[in-house]
Amino acid sequence: MVDGGRLVLVATPIGNLGDLSARGIETLRTADVIACEDTRRTRVLLSAAEIPGGGRLRAVHEHNEAAAAARIAREVADGRVVAYVSDAGMPGISDPGARLVRACIELDADLAVTTVPGPTALAAALVLSGLPADRFVFEGFLPRRGSQRRARLAAIGAEPRTVVLYESPRRLAATLGSLVGVCGPDRPAAVARELTKLHEEVLRAPLGACEIFASAALPPPRGEHVIVVGGAPAADEATDGEIEVAVV
């Protein structure tokens, strides 16, 4: 390995372009390669920060993820500094950044992998929800259908910790309805959208009310949403009489 090569995961704004850190700007300005999910969106970010893109951009998305990750890992091994940005937020969370990190480690465990941390929608929504944040579970995007979705929903219904999920606007109402089915309509929840933007909105209400709001919204809500669900209440301890009946 040539000295100096490294992969740097650079957090980018989740809405407000002013949230790009000074260290993030410098990393993107000086990197040999900028890998990203969508080159068009990244060009907008670079332009806003007055960072030249040139021929440094490399697309890494769900359709070319494996091949692109292997290629970028080789560039790091050859001594190049590769900065990776997702469309928004902290790379590696529900995006191809995790594949890039694994590719570098699998190619050479000594390859340098580091990060310029920053905004992330899950943390922003969690702290704004008002629900317990000392212990929580991040579920990302649920499977769209089938047994895997049912299993994940059942686990959420029984989970005692606060649960954070991502969802698209098209499936928001359906997912909230599924959560009502496993958690009940009275479970405390919050739905956040447009975080850090001008029209930031956080709806804090029982799940049933959140579902009704999402179902009735005209026009349908836009932009990716974050759903935060309170943990399952602790089961009441059985009485002596209930224990005696159960063991008979």
Side-chain angles (χ1 to χ4, degrees):
M1 182 185 75
V2 178
D3 290 341
R6 64 187 182 277
L7 172 67
V8 188
L9 306 179
V10 181
T12 54
I14 58 177
N16 190 320
L17 293 178
D19 290 339
L20 182 61
S21 71
R23 191 157 71 94
I25 292 172
E26 182 61 20
T27 300
L28 293 171
R29 191 185 307 279
T30 58
D32 298 309
V33 174
I34 299 175
C36 57
E37 282 189 273
D38 186 329
T39 56
R40 293 167 299 180
R41 294 186 65 168
T42 299
R43 287 186 194 279
V44 172
L45 176 68
L46 296 179
S47 177
E50 299 182 345
I51 300 170
R56 298 184 296 154
L57 293 181
R58 307 281 192 277
V60 184
H61 46 70
E62 60 180 342
H63 302 297
N64 73 348
E65 191 175 331
R71 183 171 62 252
I72 287 170
R74 289 193 296 270
E75 292 195 78
V76 174
D78 288 339
R80 310 191 81 183
V81 176
V82 178
Y84 174 72
V85 296
S86 65
D87 285 348
M90 187 65 213
I93 299 176
S94 294
D95 86 301
R99 186 70 175 264
L100 282 180
V101 172
R102 289 198 303 272
C104 287
I105 294 170
E106 290 169 1
L107 180 64
D108 184 342
D110 292 328
L111 287 183
V113 178
T114 186
T115 183
V116 178
T120 172
L122 77 92
L126 176 63
V127 298
L128 291 176
S129 72
L131 295 170
D134 50 343
R135 298 176 69 234
F136 67 93
V137 177
F138 176 58
E139 284 286 339
F141 289 95
L142 292 175
R144 295 189 183 184
R145 60 183 65 87
S147 60
Q148 288 186 330
R149 180 180 176 88
R150 291 192 294 272
R152 291 268 293 275
L153 283 166
I156 291 171
E159 175 57 58
R161 295 167 291 185
T162 301
V163 179
V164 185
L165 309 96
Y166 288 164
E167 192 51 278
S168 75
R170 296 190 311 276
R171 295 190 295 273
L172 178 65
T175 292
L176 287 169
S178 296
L179 290 169
V180 168
V182 296
C183 299
D186 298 325
R187 184 80 65 89
V191 179
R193 69 183 186 96
E194 299 289 296
L195 288 169
T196 76
K197 298 180 183 178
L198 179 62
H199 300 293
E200 175 178 287
E201 183 178 14
V202 182
L203 172 65
R204 304 174 185 88
L207 266 175
C210 291
E211 180 198 8
I212 292 170
F213 175 82
S215 300
L218 291 173
R222 299 177 61 185
E224 199 169 278
H225 288 62
V226 186
I227 304 170
V228 187
V229 182
D236 293 332
E237 292 188 7
T239 64
D240 291 341
E242 291 171 331
I243 294 174
E244 289 177 4
V245 170
V247 298
V248 171

